[in-house]
Amino acid sequence: LHGTLSRAGNSAKLPVDGVIHGTYRGPGKIVELYKSQIRLPQSTLNINGVVSNNSRLALNFESSDLHVLDTIATIVTAPTPGQPTQPLGMAGTASFQGVIRGSIAAPHLTGKVEASNVRVRGTAWRVLRTDVELAPSVASLQNAVLEPVSGGRIAFSGTAALSKWSISQTSPISVDLTASQINVADLARVAGMQAPVTGSLMANVRIHGTQLNPVGQGDISILHAKVQDETIQSAKLTFVSSGEEV
């Protein structure tokens, strides 16, 4: 396997090579893969297992330079007419270990992402890790932890029920988030905000229900904030939602 990942009208290119070892058993429509590997710059994906109506395919991804994800995003993302694609400026190391089970029509992915020394949009994160689950009926991040170099910690768990990979306003959701001493400027840069913002954020939020009828409560506080020329010594938002009113 040897080639280049590219897109018509896009100058970005990514060399791809690797090797696929496998056997195919026709009567059961079973593909067995072993010692298979796909290589990208500074990144490797190892694949072993069975693809069938009862798949069990082990995936092991290792990257010593997350800039490769920036390049992939540039290639596969369709640009907005008249606006150049803005790179994420990603760097760092990461790994993913997971398993795909189920059928080809309804694959079920579970695994764990771990990353360190991550840089994205001018921000730096010491640690990023989360458990991942993705299937036609569910998308979930559990036990997620983010620790920015600037200090503080974010812990997050969230699940959304899907219908054939899609979420709607009536899909059940649950979110549990805590954040302490987070630099607001980091969050603003990750979100792509251009306005200068500073301050320290703390949050504790728990929500379940649906987008139309969320149920839960939370506290969000900002200290020593400055938005452009406006200074805010402290601000706190406390909310309780019953699903019908906030």
Side-chain angles (χ1 to χ4, degrees):
L1 174 65
H2 182 75
T4 301
L5 179 64
S6 62
R7 179 180 181 147
N10 192 319
S11 60
K13 295 182 179 181
L14 191 70
V16 181
D17 63 55
V19 59
I20 304 295
H21 298 288
T23 58
Y24 175 71
R25 288 186 278 166
K29 296 182 179 180
I30 297 173
V31 177
E32 295 182 358
L33 300 174
Y34 55 94
K35 295 182 179 180
S36 296
Q37 188 177 85
I38 297 175
R39 294 183 292 269
L40 303 170
Q42 289 80 51
S43 306
T44 304
L45 174 64
N46 292 297
I47 308 169
N48 292 280
V50 175
V51 179
S52 66
N53 286 328
N54 189 24
S55 302
R56 182 177 174 84
L57 193 65
L59 307 177
N60 187 342
F61 175 77
E62 301 278 347
S63 178
S64 60
D65 185 358
L66 289 177
H67 180 68
V68 68
L69 299 184
D70 232 354
T71 305
I72 293 174
T74 300
I75 293 172
V76 302
T77 303
T80 303
Q83 297 183 9
T85 302
Q86 296 295 323
L88 296 174
M90 291 194 70
T93 63
S95 67
F96 171 79
Q97 291 186 339
V99 177
I100 298 177
R101 296 179 175 86
S103 65
I104 296 175
H108 190 150
L109 171 70
T110 57
K112 187 177 186 67
V113 175
E114 293 187 340
S116 58
N117 301 319
V118 175
R119 295 185 179 275
V120 56
R121 286 184 172 168
T123 64
W125 302 80
R126 183 180 296 107
V127 173
L128 186 159
R129 62 177 180 268
T130 184
D131 298 324
V132 178
E133 180 181 8
L134 183 62
S137 60
V138 64
S140 176
L141 298 177
Q142 296 294 318
N143 307 311
V145 173
L146 297 91
E147 296 180 358
V149 171
S150 57
R153 187 176 190 268
I154 299 173
F156 172 84
S157 289
T159 300
L162 306 180
S163 176
K164 296 180 180 179
W165 302 106
S166 297
I167 188 171
S168 70
Q169 292 185 324
T170 57
S171 299
I173 60 171
S174 66
V175 175
D176 191 342
L177 179 146
T178 60
S180 60
Q181 298 179 334
I182 298 300
N183 187 344
V184 175
D186 284 344
L187 300 180
R189 283 195 290 267
V190 169
M193 293 177 57
Q194 300 300 319
V197 180
T198 61
S200 179
L201 177 123
M202 292 172 287
N204 191 345
V205 176
R206 290 187 176 183
I207 297 174
H208 64 277
T210 68
Q211 292 183 53
L212 287 178
N213 296 291
V215 177
Q217 60 187 14
D219 296 294
I220 301 173
S221 301
I222 298 178
L223 300 175
H224 312 301
K226 188 173 183 179
V227 182
Q228 293 184 336
D229 295 328
E230 187 73 23
T231 300
I232 304 172
Q233 288 300 319
S234 66
K236 183 175 182 178
L237 170 66
T238 299
F239 67 89
V240 176
S241 174
S242 63
E244 297 180 354
E245 60 182 17
V246 178

